[in-house]
Amino acid sequence: MSTSSSIKRFYKKAEVVSSKEGESAGFTVALDGRILRTPNKAALQLPTHSLAEAVASEWNAQGETIDAQTMPMMTLACTAIDWVHQERAHAVETTAAFAEHDLVCYWAEEPPELVSRQQEHWQPLLDWVTLSFDAPLIVIPGILSKPQPAASVEALRHAIENLDDMALTALHTVVSAGGSLVIGLALLQRRLSADEAFTAALLDELFQIEFWGEDSEAAARHAGLRGEFHAAASFLSLLRG
């Protein structure tokens, strides 16, 4: 079922129900007793009651029309089922590719205040990813691309391959939005909060805003990005039950 914002609300109540798809038991959401499906007509099989409750709450919160932009948990769940599950190898590869040119590896050469801020926020993440995944990454001054150690890239790819479809979807969302696999993994493993991950990913831009201000277009983009980070973090928390 599509969640297009042009569709008028056609139900009174959404509620969580138990479900079983194949060998997998879990939960789903029913609208007036009618089981929800994804836009591609797949079963909306959710692994935890908490996530199903959150999806049901999004449906119950809709007004006269259904606005998919206000349903991030539903959107992420459908993405996991309709895209990541069907195109898993591609999802893994596109996420892992960020390890080769990760944002937190490219440090400014000046001004000193920005370099200091990168040192404060990014170096602990690089230390963490080295210890947690045996994946040391090279810091590169300036913007010219340089290859990262192949063993480190492979170690991070292996960590991604071990994720289930739902967790991979959340990780892919954060990595694509922020440009950093390191930051995405830190959010995934609760090394960073959503706000901390947003700050780390937008570090250079936020530094410039302190001096030059922020126009309305940039503010709207940043609000959208912050929303994506918070949605992914909430989704991961609900996956843990």
Side-chain angles (χ1 to χ4, degrees):
M1 185 182 66
S2 171
T3 57
S4 169
S5 60
S6 64
I7 296 178
K8 291 185 178 181
R9 179 165 177 160
F10 55 90
Y11 58 94
K12 292 182 179 179
K13 182 180 179 182
E15 58 186 350
V16 176
V17 296
S18 297
S19 69
K20 185 172 183 179
E21 181 72 12
E23 297 300 317
S24 177
F27 305 90
T28 190
V29 174
L31 305 180
D32 296 340
R34 185 178 180 181
I35 299 300
L36 269 174
R37 289 190 170 270
T38 70
N40 286 352
K41 308 302 181 183
L44 185 70
Q45 183 81 355
L46 304 171
T48 66
H49 191 272
S50 298
L51 179 57
E53 281 187 328
V55 171
S57 294
E58 290 179 341
W59 283 92
N60 282 325
Q62 297 303 300
E64 293 183 358
T65 59
I66 299 170
D67 183 2
Q69 298 300 315
T70 64
M71 305 174 75
M73 300 303 102
M74 178 67 180
T75 299
L76 286 166
C78 289
T79 301
I81 296 166
D82 282 352
W83 179 63
V84 171
H85 182 69
Q86 300 300 325
E87 302 288 343
R88 184 173 172 84
H90 178 66
V92 168
E93 188 58 37
T94 55
T95 306
F98 282 85
E100 300 176 10
H101 309 286
D102 199 284
L103 169 73
V104 301
C105 295
Y106 290 85
W107 291 26
E109 297 180 277
E110 57 180 356
E113 296 84 359
L114 176 56
V115 177
S116 176
R117 193 167 299 186
Q118 290 172 333
Q119 172 78 27
E120 176 187 355
H121 288 270
W122 290 354
Q123 188 60 54
L125 294 176
L126 291 170
D127 294 340
W128 171 80
V129 84
T130 297
L131 293 173
S132 297
F133 300 97
D134 192 20
L137 298 174
I138 299 169
V139 172
I140 301 163
I143 60 174
L144 293 180
S145 178
K146 292 184 180 180
Q148 293 290 344
S152 297
V153 173
E154 183 57 32
L156 293 174
R157 177 180 285 105
H158 181 67
I160 296 168
E161 289 172 341
N162 286 334
L163 298 175
D164 62 47
D165 292 342
M166 295 277 178
L168 175 56
T169 299
L171 177 65
H172 179 81
T173 297
V174 172
V175 172
S176 299
S180 171
L181 178 57
V182 173
I183 292 172
L185 288 170
L187 179 66
L188 175 74
Q189 295 206 358
R190 292 181 280 191
R191 171 66 176 74
L192 293 177
S193 68
D195 284 327
E196 289 168 339
F198 172 82
T199 297
L202 276 291
L203 192 70
D204 291 3
E205 289 187 46
L206 297 176
F207 179 83
Q208 295 299 328
I209 286 170
E210 290 179 14
F211 290 91
W212 306 109
E214 183 179 41
D215 60 35
S216 58
E217 183 177 339
R221 184 175 68 84
H222 291 161
L225 287 172
R226 188 185 293 274
E228 289 190 64
F229 277 69
H230 275 274
S234 296
F235 191 74
L236 290 168
S237 178
L238 293 165
L239 288 176
R240 300 180 185 112

